[in-house]
Coordinates of all heavy atoms in Angstrom, one line a residue:
E83 N 78.8 186.1 -23.2 CA 77.7 187.1 -23.5 C 76.4 186.3 -23.3 O 76.4 185.1 -23.1 CB 77.8 187.7 -24.9 CG 77.8 186.7 -26.0 CD 76.5 186.5 -26.7 OE1 75.9 187.5 -27.2 OE2 75.9 185.4 -26.8
G84 N 75.3 187.0 -23.3 CA 74.0 186.3 -23.0 C 73.1 185.9 -24.1 O 72.3 185.0 -23.9
T85 N 73.3 186.5 -25.3 CA 72.3 186.2 -26.4 C 72.3 184.7 -26.8 O 71.2 184.1 -26.9 CB 72.7 187.1 -27.6 OG1 72.8 188.4 -27.2 CG2 71.6 187.0 -28.7
Y107 N 67.6 189.7 -18.8 CA 68.4 188.9 -18.0 C 69.5 189.7 -17.4 O 69.9 190.8 -18.0 CB 69.0 187.7 -18.7 CG 69.7 188.0 -20.0 CD1 71.1 188.4 -20.0 CD2 69.1 188.1 -21.2 CE1 71.7 188.8 -21.1 CE2 69.7 188.5 -22.4 CZ 71.1 188.8 -22.3 OH 71.7 189.3 -23.5
R113 N 85.2 187.0 -20.2 CA 86.0 187.1 -21.4 C 87.5 187.3 -21.0 O 87.7 188.2 -20.2 CB 85.6 188.3 -22.3 CG 84.2 188.2 -22.9 CD 83.8 189.3 -23.8 NE 82.4 189.3 -24.1 CZ 81.8 190.2 -24.8 NH1 82.4 191.2 -25.4 NH2 80.5 190.1 -25.0
E115 N 90.1 189.0 -21.7 CA 90.6 190.2 -22.3 C 91.7 190.7 -21.4 O 91.8 190.4 -20.3 CB 89.5 191.2 -22.5 CG 88.4 190.8 -23.5 CD 87.5 191.9 -23.8 OE1 87.9 192.7 -24.7 OE2 86.4 192.0 -23.2
G120 N 87.4 199.7 -17.0 CA 86.2 199.4 -17.8 C 86.3 198.1 -18.6 O 85.3 197.8 -19.3
R121 N 87.4 197.4 -18.4 CA 87.4 196.1 -19.2 C 87.9 195.0 -18.2 O 89.0 195.1 -17.6 CB 88.3 196.2 -20.4 CG 88.3 194.9 -21.2 CD 88.9 195.1 -22.6 NE 90.3 195.3 -22.5 CZ 91.1 195.7 -23.5 NH1 90.5 196.1 -24.6 NH2 92.4 195.8 -23.4
Y122 N 87.1 194.0 -18.0 CA 87.4 193.0 -17.0 C 87.2 191.6 -17.5 O 86.6 191.4 -18.6 CB 86.4 193.2 -15.7 CG 86.5 194.7 -15.3 CD1 85.4 195.5 -15.7 CD2 87.5 195.2 -14.6 CE1 85.5 196.9 -15.3 CE2 87.6 196.5 -14.3 CZ 86.6 197.4 -14.6 OH 86.6 198.7 -14.3
F125 N 82.6 190.3 -16.0 CA 81.9 191.6 -15.9 C 80.4 191.2 -15.9 O 80.1 190.1 -16.1 CB 82.3 192.5 -17.1 CG 82.0 191.9 -18.5 CD1 80.9 192.2 -19.2 CD2 82.9 190.9 -19.0 CE1 80.6 191.6 -20.4 CE2 82.7 190.3 -20.2 CZ 81.5 190.7 -20.9
Q127 N 76.4 192.0 -17.3 CA 75.6 192.7 -18.3 C 74.1 192.7 -17.8 O 73.7 191.7 -17.1 CB 75.6 191.9 -19.6 CG 76.9 192.1 -20.4 CD 76.8 191.4 -21.7 OE1 75.9 190.6 -22.0 NE2 77.7 191.7 -22.6
C130 N 68.6 192.5 -22.9 CA 67.2 192.2 -23.3 C 67.2 191.5 -24.7 O 68.1 191.9 -25.5 CB 66.4 193.5 -23.5 SG 65.9 194.2 -21.9
E131 N 66.3 190.6 -24.9 CA 66.2 190.0 -26.2 C 64.7 189.9 -26.6 O 63.8 189.6 -25.7 CB 66.7 188.6 -26.2 CG 68.1 188.4 -25.6 CD 69.3 189.1 -26.3 OE1 69.1 189.5 -27.4 OE2 70.4 189.1 -25.7
R259 N 80.2 196.0 -34.8 CA 80.0 195.1 -33.6 C 80.9 193.9 -33.7 O 81.3 193.5 -34.8 CB 78.5 194.7 -33.4 CG 77.6 195.8 -33.5 CD 77.2 196.4 -32.2 NE 76.7 195.5 -31.2 CZ 77.3 195.3 -30.0 NH1 78.3 196.1 -29.6 NH2 76.8 194.4 -29.2
L261 N 80.4 190.7 -32.7 CA 79.9 189.4 -32.7 C 79.2 189.2 -34.1 O 78.6 190.1 -34.6 CB 78.8 189.3 -31.6 CG 79.3 189.8 -30.2 CD1 78.1 190.1 -29.3 CD2 80.2 188.8 -29.6
Y263 N 76.6 187.6 -35.3 CA 75.2 187.2 -35.6 C 74.4 188.4 -36.1 O 73.2 188.2 -36.4 CB 74.6 186.5 -34.4 CG 74.8 187.1 -33.0 CD1 74.3 188.4 -32.7 CD2 75.4 186.4 -32.0 CE1 74.5 188.9 -31.4 CE2 75.5 186.9 -30.7 CZ 75.1 188.1 -30.4 OH 75.2 188.6 -29.2
Y264 N 74.9 189.6 -36.2 CA 74.0 190.8 -36.4 C 73.7 190.9 -37.9 O 74.5 190.6 -38.8 CB 74.7 192.0 -36.0 CG 74.8 192.1 -34.5 CD1 76.1 192.0 -33.8 CD2 73.7 192.3 -33.7 CE1 76.2 192.1 -32.4 CE2 73.8 192.4 -32.3 CZ 75.0 192.3 -31.7 OH 75.1 192.3 -30.3
T281 N 82.1 202.2 -24.6 CA 80.8 201.7 -25.0 C 80.0 201.1 -23.8 O 80.5 200.1 -23.2 CB 80.9 200.6 -26.1 OG1 81.7 201.1 -27.1 CG2 79.5 200.1 -26.6
V282 N 78.9 201.8 -23.4 CA 78.2 201.3 -22.2 C 77.1 200.4 -22.5 O 76.6 199.7 -21.7 CB 77.7 202.5 -21.3 CG1 78.9 203.3 -20.7 CG2 76.8 203.4 -22.1
C283 N 76.7 200.4 -23.8 CA 75.6 199.5 -24.2 C 75.7 199.2 -25.7 O 76.0 200.1 -26.4 CB 74.3 200.2 -23.9 SG 72.8 199.5 -24.6
G284 N 75.4 198.0 -26.1 CA 75.5 197.7 -27.5 C 74.5 196.6 -27.9 O 74.1 195.8 -27.0
G285 N 74.0 196.7 -29.1 CA 73.0 195.7 -29.5 C 72.7 195.7 -30.9 O 73.3 196.5 -31.7
G286 N 71.7 195.0 -31.3 CA 71.2 195.0 -32.7 C 70.4 193.9 -33.0 O 70.0 193.0 -32.2
Y288 N 69.4 190.3 -35.0 CA 70.1 189.1 -35.3 C 69.0 188.1 -35.8 O 68.8 187.1 -35.2 CB 70.9 188.5 -34.2 CG 70.2 188.4 -32.9 CD1 69.6 187.2 -32.5 CD2 70.0 189.5 -32.0 CE1 68.9 187.1 -31.3 CE2 69.4 189.4 -30.8 CZ 68.8 188.1 -30.4 OH 68.1 188.0 -29.3
G304 N 68.1 192.7 -29.8 CA 68.4 192.8 -28.4 C 69.6 193.7 -28.1 O 70.1 194.3 -29.1
F305 N 69.9 193.9 -26.9 CA 71.1 194.7 -26.5 C 71.6 194.3 -25.1 O 70.9 193.5 -24.4 CB 70.7 196.2 -26.4 CG 69.8 196.5 -25.2 CD1 70.3 196.8 -24.0 CD2 68.4 196.4 -25.4 CE1 69.4 197.0 -22.9 CE2 67.5 196.7 -24.3 CZ 68.1 197.0 -23.0
A306 N 72.8 194.7 -24.8 CA 73.2 194.5 -23.4 C 74.0 195.7 -22.9 O 74.7 196.4 -23.7 CB 74.2 193.3 -23.3
G308 N 76.7 197.1 -20.2 CA 77.8 196.7 -19.4 C 77.7 197.4 -18.0 O 77.8 198.7 -18.0
R311 N 80.8 199.4 -16.6 CA 81.0 200.7 -17.3 C 80.0 201.7 -16.9 O 80.3 202.9 -16.8 CB 81.0 200.5 -18.8 CG 82.3 199.7 -19.2 CD 82.4 199.6 -20.7 NE 83.4 198.6 -21.0 CZ 83.6 198.2 -22.2 NH1 83.0 198.7 -23.2 NH2 84.5 197.3 -22.4
Ligands
HAM501 P1 78.8 193.3 -26.5 O1 79.0 194.6 -27.2 O2 79.9 192.3 -26.7 O3 77.4 192.7 -26.9 O4 78.7 193.6 -24.9 C1 77.7 194.5 -24.4 C2 78.4 195.4 -23.4 O5 79.0 194.7 -22.4 C3 79.5 196.3 -24.0 O6 78.9 197.5 -24.6 C4 80.2 196.7 -22.7 O7 79.5 197.8 -22.0 C5 80.1 195.4 -21.9 N1 81.3 194.6 -21.9 C6 81.7 193.8 -22.9 N2 83.0 193.3 -22.6 C7 83.3 193.8 -21.4 C8 84.5 193.6 -20.6 N3 85.5 192.8 -20.9 N4 84.5 194.3 -19.4 C9 83.5 195.1 -19.1 N5 82.4 195.3 -19.8 C10 82.3 194.7 -21.0 C11 76.9 191.6 -26.4 O8 77.4 191.0 -25.5 C12 75.6 191.2 -27.0 N6 75.2 189.9 -26.5 C13 74.5 192.2 -26.9 C14 73.3 191.9 -27.5 C15 72.2 191.4 -26.9 N7 73.0 192.0 -28.8 C16 71.8 191.5 -29.1 N8 71.3 191.1 -27.9

Side-chain angles (χ1 to χ4, degrees):
E83 57 101 56
T85 309
Y107 53 84
R113 296 185 193 176
E115 296 189 79
R121 188 164 70 193
Y122 310 100
F125 60 98
Q127 286 185 346
C130 284
E131 313 293 351
R259 312 263 307 125
L261 314 161
Y263 45 63
Y264 293 108
T281 307
V282 292
C283 169
Y288 51 96
F305 69 87
R311 288 187 197 172

